[in-house]
Amino acid sequence: MDNLTFRHSVLLIEGLKVTPQSSYPVFILLFLAYFFTMASNFGLIVLISMEKNLHNPMHFLFCNLPLNDMLGTTVILPRIMQDILQETSERYITYMQCVTQAYFVHVFIAACHYVLMLGLTVRLSHCRSKIENPFCDNASLFKLSCESVVINNIYGIVYTVAVLCFSAVSIFITYVKIAVVCKSSKNKALNSKAIKTCSTHLAVYLVMFFSGAIMTFLHRFPEYSDSRKLTSIMFHILPPGLNPLVYGLQTKEIRQKIAKLWWRKEVISL
């Protein structure tokens, strides 16, 4: 199989199937989504860094979330936007670039687990030169191999099921406890705030949960490749774009600082 391995070869990445007429509108839409995600997450980091009264463990955790979201979005969107403006037959990427992109995609999802999985993948020889996805990830890389990838598939499925089940159970238990507290509490304002925060959090979580699950499982069913591409892009756009609104604006201190900065800007302009 070694003679079929060409690790420095150029790969053809399938990308999104868009008509020439819709390529620019799709590009603009993705650019606006990327700009919003980067600006909102970066603004949240700067705000927390500049305000001393926000320098506490809770807001430090908020800094980690935007950094991770910025990484996950930057890993794929610029490349996808570039490919949209090119002919399908001209969307080339080197094997090393593909491995690099896949590495950062999986750091965004779950660093330790996916570094191990990627390590299993790069040991495989590969005899194909087409990435059947808009961006490089581990599943796309081991599909380049003509060797048996049963271990990769089993490992990926078992880990995904375990993570999704643990996540779902944890979220369910948390929400049950919140519901019990709200039911026993007579503070309507507190209950209203809890319901508002939980509903927005749950909406983002469900988008991430189902898009991540569908993306992983549909890799095993080539006939649903277009659906898999859509869910994979949703996984990298919607949660990073919505998280600053959910976790940032739902926090009273951050909301007050944003309002204060906005009001100061308005006063200066006048």
Side-chain angles (χ1 to χ4, degrees):
M1 190 64 67
D2 289 339
N3 60 343
L4 293 175
T5 300
F6 31 92
R7 296 191 181 277
H8 299 287
S9 61
V10 176
L11 308 175
L12 178 66
I13 192 163
E14 193 171 83
L16 294 177
K17 295 178 181 179
V18 295
T19 63
Q21 295 79 9
S22 61
S23 60
Y24 282 99
V26 173
F27 176 88
I28 293 173
L29 182 63
L30 291 177
F31 175 80
L32 291 176
Y34 179 68
F35 178 81
F36 175 79
T37 297
M38 297 299 292
S40 57
N41 282 290
F42 182 76
L44 192 57
I45 294 172
V46 171
L47 179 64
I48 294 174
S49 301
M50 292 177 60
E51 297 297 331
K52 292 184 179 180
N53 62 330
L54 298 179
H55 293 179
N56 55 61
M58 181 184 69
H59 295 103
F60 174 74
L61 292 176
F62 282 152
C63 276
N64 286 274
L65 181 65
L67 285 172
N68 194 46
D69 289 340
M70 291 169 70
L71 170 65
T73 306
T74 302
V75 164
I76 69 160
L77 274 188
R79 175 74 202 199
I80 292 177
M81 290 188 290
Q82 173 187 323
D83 290 340
I84 285 175
L85 300 181
Q86 294 180 331
E87 296 292 335
T88 306
S89 59
E90 298 296 324
R91 297 173 181 175
Y92 295 114
I93 186 171
T94 66
Y95 182 77
M96 288 308 300
Q97 287 175 334
C98 201
V99 170
T100 302
Q101 188 185 49
Y103 171 78
F104 282 106
V105 164
H106 295 296
V107 165
F108 165 69
I109 298 173
C112 295
H113 157 68
Y114 282 111
V115 168
L116 174 60
M117 179 176 282
L118 198 58
L120 295 175
T121 298
V122 296
R123 291 171 183 246
L124 297 170
S125 59
H126 64 278
C127 58
R128 301 184 180 92
S129 60
K130 185 177 181 180
I131 300 295
E132 300 175 350
N133 210 37
F135 57 91
C136 295
D137 60 0
N138 189 69
S140 299
L141 279 171
F142 69 64
K143 286 180 181 179
L144 296 174
S145 178
C146 293
E147 298 181 44
S148 173
V149 292
V150 174
I151 294 178
N152 300 69
N153 275 306
I154 293 176
Y155 185 76
I157 289 292
V158 170
Y159 179 84
T160 301
V161 171
V163 169
L164 292 178
C165 290
F166 177 81
S167 174
V169 171
S170 300
I171 291 292
F172 176 77
I173 293 174
T174 301
Y175 275 80
V176 168
K177 291 183 177 180
I178 293 174
V180 171
V181 172
C182 290
K183 186 176 180 180
S184 59
S185 174
K186 296 182 180 180
N187 190 329
K188 293 183 178 180
L190 182 62
N191 291 346
S192 176
K193 182 179 179 180
I195 292 173
K196 183 179 178 181
T197 302
C198 291
S199 60
T200 51
H201 169 269
L202 185 61
V204 176
Y205 172 80
L206 290 176
V207 170
M208 185 172 63
F209 181 92
F210 285 109
S211 60
I214 293 171
M215 173 182 65
T216 301
F217 287 107
L218 288 187
H219 261 295
R220 280 75 186 173
F221 302 95
E223 61 270 23
Y224 299 112
S225 61
D226 290 334
S227 299
R228 186 194 72 241
K229 293 176 189 177
L230 178 61
T231 55
S232 65
I233 293 176
M234 286 177 60
F235 185 86
H236 285 271
I237 292 179
L238 291 183
L242 294 176
N243 279 333
L245 300 178
V246 174
Y247 299 106
L249 296 183
Q250 290 289 344
T251 304
K252 182 179 178 181
E253 294 86 353
I254 294 177
R255 191 168 60 248
Q256 288 177 342
K257 289 299 178 182
I258 292 176
K260 184 178 179 180
L261 290 174
W262 178 262
W263 176 252
R264 184 184 301 172
K265 180 181 177 181
E266 291 292 323
V267 171
I268 293 175
S269 64
L270 291 175

